[in-house]
Amino acid sequence: MRLRFNFAEKEELDQIHEATLDVLKNVGVNFHEKEALDIFKAHGARVDGNTVFIEADMVTKALSTAPSKFEWKGREKSVVIGDGGSISVPCYGPIYRLKDGEIKDIVPQDYVDVTKLHESSNVLDAGNPNVMEPVAIPRDIRRNYQMATALKYHTKPVMGMVDGKEAAEMSIQMAQDFYDVHDQTPVVAGLINVMSPLGISTAMCEALITYARAGQPVVVAEGGFPGVTLPPSIAGTLVSNNAGILAGITLAQLVNPGTPVVYGLPAVSGDLKVISMAIGGAETPLFVYYAKEIANYYHLPVRAGGGLTDAKAVDYQAGKETALNLFATYGAGIDFIIHACGILDTYNTISFEKLVLDEEAALSIKRQFKGFVVDDRHMMIEEIAKAGPGGSYINKRTPKIYREEFMLPKLANRETTQNWLKDGAKSVEALAADMVEERIGNYKLPELADFQEKILEKYIPQEWNAD
């Protein structure tokens, strides 16, 4: 027995698609980079200034060459995107850390420690050099440091940098050298953010073209703010976002047909009372459900959702909003989940304690969607008869079938009140802090080959080369 979702009707998806094609043909999308404009011109698209008008047949052809799934390689572990599983990826871009109840600037040790948490996670399937902005690292070496640090501490696949052509080339080359892979095997995934409404910046165009030429996966994503940068309705937001996403996917396929792409819809709710996105809003899950349906419509893997909240502390609001969004994300079967664990403050802040709490929430939600088995072994008629009316099923050892069926969380408090008080009356956040310290302390650096150590020495300054 399993929970199943069926969100959108085909007729509704057809309507969204046809409206999107109308926008692409008659409104167009701005590409703020000459090479992108030249590529579209060379393939017959009408271009007026920075605006490209894309015909339906060009979109259809691009979608036909985009693979429905692909393998993403790490140092020792690889994952498949688009095969029906949900690949969870860390946060992207926080500029602060919540620590000891205070919002603090990020320091290099934070960056190293969070990467160790990612590698030791049984929920997160990949690493992300963009997990936080280590502002203490000088800007001229920051991106190199981030990429090298992610490669150093991970055996899992890692994302890449996308701050223009130079950062994109650096990420791809460093990963290829580190893995000793020098073909178009996917070794880094780049997140290409479309500007709302209907625009792709110079840096994002450069990165998209660079990744596509190298055969590296691109997550083409557009979020935005309904009522400010997007139409003030959900359907209108979806049409506008869909146009921007399909325009980016089309460019990737024009550059290199067969480039792995992920349809990215990190659309969220908004609050016009305070003029702010509301990533924990009630409507955010609706975008998640739709994202999966429209990506299936195009036969593409999808990025959406995550453990999202606008809360500034690890409190009830954080727990409620995160749980609702994670439930929608794993329930919809989202293929590629950025911000899976640890995010706070409308993307601005990361909490290591929330990271491990989110892991437990994700495992609980996955357990729900796993369902349960109904057969002779699991109905246990003989055991029921043996125990009889008023009997007991308690044994000296926990039965194997119980361990198969029931999840035992490490952080949730299920003790009696007296035992809890006796043990110090610790909150789950305090227990999470203990777990964070334990996992970082127990982390073992994966063995490095000589050539890998030389690569890392080149990019990680000695004073920040902490193990």
Side-chain angles (χ1 to χ4, degrees):
M1 294 186 178
R2 293 176 182 268
L3 292 169
R4 292 175 174 84
F5 281 71
N6 183 17
F7 183 68
E9 301 294 334
K10 184 178 182 302
E11 293 77 10
E12 295 170 329
L13 298 173
D14 287 339
Q15 285 180 285
I16 295 288
H17 178 65
E18 291 303 320
T20 300
L21 294 179
D22 183 85
V23 170
L24 288 170
K25 178 180 179 179
N26 298 305
V27 179
V29 175
N30 287 339
F31 289 83
H32 298 276
E33 207 277 326
K34 182 178 183 301
E35 186 175 11
L37 300 173
D38 290 342
I39 290 168
F40 276 110
K41 285 180 184 177
H43 287 85
R46 179 166 66 93
V47 177
D48 183 3
N50 287 325
T51 306
V52 178
F53 301 89
I54 306 173
E55 298 284 347
D57 59 349
M58 183 176 285
V59 176
T60 300
K61 184 177 181 181
L63 291 171
S64 73
T65 61
S68 60
K69 66 179 181 178
F70 60 90
E71 185 175 12
W72 181 17
K73 178 181 172 58
R75 191 192 327 182
E76 296 177 8
K77 303 170 185 176
S78 298
V79 296
V80 177
I81 309 297
D83 70 344
S86 292
I87 302 304
S88 299
V89 181
C91 304
Y92 201 110
I95 56 176
Y96 303 115
R97 177 185 173 186
L98 177 66
K99 184 178 181 181
D100 301 326
E102 297 181 24
I103 302 290
K104 300 182 178 183
D105 289 334
I106 289 163
V107 299
Q109 190 61 50
D110 292 334
Y111 193 88
V112 171
D113 287 346
V114 79
T115 307
K116 292 178 178 179
L117 289 175
H118 296 160
E119 173 63 15
S120 64
S121 174
N122 61 351
V123 170
L124 296 169
D125 303 292
N128 187 1
N130 309 279
V131 65
M132 55 175 66
E133 189 67 18
V135 293
I137 305 292
R139 183 172 291 276
D140 61 332
I141 64 169
R142 189 182 302 165
R143 298 301 177 233
N144 292 348
Y145 167 83
Q146 289 174 268
M147 192 68 203
T149 301
L151 290 170
K152 175 180 179 178
Y153 292 100
H154 275 295
T155 62
K156 301 173 181 180
V158 298
M159 296 192 71
M161 316 303 295
V162 291
D163 299 357
K165 182 177 181 179
E166 183 178 343
E169 288 178 339
M170 174 275 295
S171 296
I172 295 167
Q173 189 65 56
M174 192 188 300
Q176 288 177 332
D177 290 345
F178 194 77
Y179 299 148
D180 196 22
V181 173
H182 299 283
D183 53 22
Q184 295 206 336
T185 298
V187 292
V188 283
L191 175 60
I192 306 301
N193 281 313
V194 179
M195 298 186 300
S196 297
L198 302 171
I200 303 183
S201 70
T202 302
M204 290 292 109
C205 283
E206 289 178 351
L208 188 155
I209 292 169
T210 301
Y211 273 77
R213 284 212 171 107
Q216 300 305 301
V218 287
V219 183
V220 182
E222 182 173 358
F225 185 175
V228 177
T229 66
L230 290 164
S233 71
I234 293 176
T237 289
L238 294 176
V239 170
S240 183
N241 276 352
N242 198 39
I245 296 163
L246 291 185
I249 290 172
T250 298
L251 176 57
Q253 298 306 309
L254 293 179
V255 171
N256 184 6
T259 295
V261 296
V262 176
Y263 181 99
L265 187 75
V268 296
S269 184
D271 191 333
L272 293 180
K273 292 187 300 181
V274 293
I275 313 298
S276 174
M277 289 192 299
I279 67 175
E283 297 76 27
T284 297
L286 297 177
F287 290 114
V288 174
Y289 298 134
Y290 163 83
K292 181 61 175 179
E293 297 283 2
I294 196 68
N296 286 346
Y297 185 88
Y298 295 134
H299 306 290
L300 294 174
V302 62
R303 173 259 166 130
L308 308 180
T309 180
D310 303 296
K312 309 302 184 283
V314 184
D315 56 12
Y316 179 84
Q317 179 187 349
K320 180 200 75 170
E321 293 176 351
T322 298
L324 290 174
N325 280 313
L326 282 178
F327 185 87
T329 302
Y330 289 112
I334 299 302
D335 301 284
F336 195 99
I337 307 166
I338 299 178
H339 301 295
C341 300
I343 201 71
L344 281 168
D345 187 21
T346 321
Y347 301 127
N348 290 314
T349 300
I350 186 172
S351 162
F352 292 6
E353 291 74 26
K354 183 173 183 288
L355 189 156
V356 298
L357 288 165
D358 288 351
E359 289 176 340
E360 192 155 286
L363 290 172
S364 298
I365 292 165
K366 287 182 175 184
R367 175 63 194 92
Q368 290 187 50
F369 286 102
K370 180 181 176 183
F372 61 92
V373 177
V374 178
D375 61 14
D376 288 345
R377 175 175 179 257
H378 289 80
M379 289 190 292
M380 305 187 76
I381 299 299
E382 291 184 7
E383 286 78 2
I384 293 171
K386 183 177 179 180
S392 172
Y393 295 89
I394 295 177
N395 294 307
K396 293 181 179 179
R397 299 179 61 185
T398 303
K400 178 181 178 183
I401 197 167
Y402 179 91
R403 296 195 301 271
E404 294 171 356
E405 294 267 285
F406 294 90
M407 173 186 164
L408 297 176
K410 296 180 179 179
L411 294 172
N413 182 4
R414 294 173 174 175
E415 293 284 348
T416 66
T417 302
Q418 291 303 316
N419 284 340
W420 176 66
L421 292 171
K422 180 181 176 182
D423 291 338
K426 283 191 172 183
S427 67
V428 291
E429 187 176 1
L431 294 174
D434 292 342
M435 179 178 284
V436 166
E437 185 176 348
E438 178 184 354
R439 275 176 46 182
I440 292 172
N442 290 339
Y443 173 89
K444 303 295 184 185
L445 183 68
E447 187 175 343
L448 296 166
D450 290 343
F451 77 91
Q452 291 173 322
E453 289 184 348
K454 289 179 181 178
I455 292 170
L456 298 176
E457 288 172 3
K458 181 178 178 181
Y459 295 112
I460 301 177
Q462 187 61 41
E463 62 266 36
W464 295 312
N465 191 15
D467 292 333

